[in-house]
Amino acid sequence: VNHLTHEQLSARLDQALKGRAAEEVERHLASCESCRAALAELVAQEAALRPALTGDPGEAYFENFAARVDDRIRAAGLAGAQGRRRSTGFGRLWGSPRSLAWVGAVATVVVAAGLALLTGRDVRPPDLRDRDIATRVERQAPAGDRRDQAAGGGGPPPGGGGRANGPPGGGPGPPPPPAPAGGPATHLAAGGACTAGERRTDPCAAGRGAAAVPDGHRTHADRRGSGHRGAARGEGSATRWSGSEPGARP
Amino acid sequence: MSAAVRRNHTGGTQEEADLVRAAQSGDPGAFTELVRRYQRSVYRVAWALTRNASDADDVAQETFVRAYQALGRFRVGEPMYPWLARIATNLSFSLFRSRRRRPETPLEPLIEAGQQWGVDDDPSERVVTSESVRHLQLAFAELKPEHQAILTLRVVEEQSYEAIAETLKVPVGTVMSRLSRARAELRSRLAARTGEMT
């Protein structure tokens, strides 16, 4: 005789069998005393288990249960659903440890890239010729010149050839942005049209406040043969070579 | 609570969806109403799985705190009870695992639970029932967590197979077979405790 399986008995206990499966089990139970006894035992165990697993603390316990939950939420300082839901846009980035990790990773990459860029610029092999010229200019430039340059006047930054918006004093910095059209450095920005020979005569020199720049300085720049190009890069500036600025190149 | 009322937990009603939506929008009264609605059910699950009033209280409260934290991610319209029962079950077994790592922590006897919350009980009746209840509780405590959970949801909460499947995130067929194994295991362990032959 094939008796009912424990799974069939368990499902029968829960009235979970349907259709043909239920009919077969009922037919078997009707004719099998052993399976009926097994089912009865299961029913008794279930009946005993229910009270063993039930602890009723009484109504008084539940009267202030919600208030205790509320206290616990407030004690934990939780923002709750609305706090999370209202957190949108950039604020959402701080919403979870994973988001925070992503933000940190991206920030690290950005900072590392920036440092690499700056470091790469600093360690770029120095132009020995520029250094030599700079040293000589420093030796030859009279103190008065440096004072004049420091005074500057209201014109464009002295020696800031082409750097209409460049940092004052010519300290080490990023390459100058293209000068905006129509500004005082327009002509310089157009740079390629202005040769070294032209610079002495007019528009280029005037455009970069040449009156404040000692002749000797420009001479050195011109002697480089690439003075204009250097100026456009912000490296050929007489002011930067003057040594009067803390960030001046040697 | 009747079985019919308990089964209503499994289906999300429009009223419940409105409460969830309001709670998600920051209405504290709506969340309090949800707590009141499910506090007894959650407590029953917590008590069945911890079998002492102190832990049950802690688990039941923490269940709602966790629910509050995660309410923004809860999908409006879904039945809330299976979700709460799942949280309570997970918290209970987290406690169980921590207790197993600290075996010196004793389980409070059943009677202590009644005294703590001022439940009146008859001492003479207690003596009669405590022996069999204690055997059953200890046998139940020896079951695997997954068997304890499924028996609690079926026997204490009288949930349907479908609702249990939703709560435990398992197929209905698994519910049927797991329940069967849990009952057989409980019978075997109880028999071993009482000296019966299985």
Side-chain angles (χ1 to χ4, degrees), chain B residues 93-140:
Chain B
F93 288 122
S94 292
L95 189 67
F96 176 75
R97 283 191 292 272
S98 68
R99 287 282 160 81
R100 203 163 46 180
R101 286 194 295 271
R102 292 180 291 127
E104 72 279 7
T105 307
L107 283 177
E108 296 174 33
L110 175 63
I111 194 62
E112 191 180 325
Q115 287 172 341
Q116 182 169 345
W117 299 107
V119 176
D120 294 330
D121 53 349
D122 181 353
S124 60
E125 187 181 332
R126 193 194 317 159
V127 170
V128 174
T129 59
S130 63
E131 186 76 2
S132 59
V133 165
R134 199 170 68 86
H135 278 307
L136 202 48
Q137 285 182 329
L138 290 172
F140 181 84

Side-chain angles (χ1 to χ4, degrees), chain B residues 134-143 148 185-186 189-191 193:
Chain B
R134 199 170 68 86
H135 278 307
L136 202 48
Q137 285 182 329
L138 290 172
F140 181 84
E142 291 174 357
L143 299 179
Q148 292 188 32
E185 187 66 22
L186 180 64
R189 291 185 182 273
L190 188 60
R193 287 195 162 274

